[in-house]
């Protein structure tokens, strides 16, 4: 085999030498003697933290809404391999890839939906699918984003 046949299609024919770097002096940094005042947080950590009950509820929902599609994505690979080896059925690799990517994509969306569909009220568990909580929590999140953008712009 020649060196030409070992070359990758996108590899350049000749290796270029790197241009010599021009010597430059580091910029002079002025130190300020005035210390910046630290801003005090408006809320304590306990006030800002997600309550334990709500956090556990979110984790259960994420496990369900993200875990099931992710497991199906992994099973897609196992089943396609099983079909090829044991029965001789050869599925198109593109089809296996697209189905696999679809399940993993649903898993990623399931993470967000699991968090947003959980009831953020400590005393209320919410419904099985949580669509009403999802719409409420998404509205809260969007309004908080808008408020923060308005504060940055003013």
């Amino acid at each position: 085999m020649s060196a030409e046949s070992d070359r990758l299609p996108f590899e350049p024919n000749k290796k270029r030498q790197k241009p010599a770097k021009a010597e430059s002096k580091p910029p002079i940094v002025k130190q300020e003697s005035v210390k910046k005042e630290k801003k005090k947080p408006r809320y304590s950590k306990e006030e800002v933290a997600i309550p334990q009950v709500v956090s556990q509820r979110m984790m259960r929902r994420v496990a369900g809404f993200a875990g099931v599609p992710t497991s199906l994505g992994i099973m897609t690979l196992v089943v396609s391999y099983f079909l090829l080896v044991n029965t001789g059925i050869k599925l198109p690799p593109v089809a296996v890839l697209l189905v696999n990517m679809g399940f993993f994509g649903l898993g990623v969306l399931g993470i967000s939906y699991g968090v947003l569909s959980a009831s953020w009220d400590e005393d209320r568990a919410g419904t099985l699918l949580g669509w009403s909580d999802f719409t409420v929590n998404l509205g809260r999140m969007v309004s908080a984003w808008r408020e923060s953008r308005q504060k940055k712009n003013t």
Side-chain angles (χ1 to χ4, degrees):
M1 288 181 115
S2 67
E4 270 304 306
S5 63
D6 292 339
R7 192 173 63 80
L8 297 173
F10 53 84
E11 188 176 9
N13 290 332
K14 296 180 182 178
K15 292 185 179 179
R16 287 191 284 167
Q17 292 183 357
K18 295 180 182 177
K21 291 184 179 179
E23 293 183 26
S24 62
K25 296 179 182 178
I28 299 172
V29 178
K30 295 181 181 179
Q31 296 179 354
E32 295 181 15
S33 60
V34 180
K35 293 182 180 179
K36 294 181 179 179
E37 295 179 18
K38 293 184 179 179
K39 294 181 180 179
K40 294 182 181 179
R42 290 189 265 175
Y43 304 104
S44 67
K45 287 183 181 180
E46 291 80 24
E47 292 173 329
V48 179
I50 298 172
Q52 187 71 19
V53 175
V54 176
S55 176
Q56 293 294 327
R57 190 178 301 140
M58 286 179 181
M59 291 306 295
R60 282 192 305 271
R61 286 184 164 277
V62 167
F65 286 115
V68 171
T70 303
S71 300
L72 290 173
I74 293 169
M75 287 304 296
T76 301
L77 297 174
V78 173
V79 168
S80 66
Y81 178 75
F82 178 79
L83 287 174
L84 177 66
V85 170
N86 292 334
T87 64
I89 298 172
K90 185 176 181 180
L91 299 174
V94 173
V96 175
L97 174 71
L98 291 176
V99 169
N100 194 348
M101 285 176 51
F103 280 130
F104 282 124
L106 284 174
V108 170
L109 291 176
I111 294 171
S112 299
Y113 185 77
V115 170
L116 291 175
S117 68
S119 172
W120 292 356
D121 184 11
E122 292 180 60
D123 301 325
R124 191 174 58 81
T127 61
L128 181 64
L129 294 178
W131 182 252
S132 61
D133 290 316
F134 174 77
T135 56
V136 169
N137 295 335
L138 185 64
R140 289 176 182 165
M141 195 169 64
V142 169
S143 66
W145 282 340
R146 287 183 180 154
E147 287 177 20
S148 68
R149 289 179 84 194
Q150 288 175 354
K151 288 180 183 178
K152 285 182 183 180
N153 292 337
T154 57

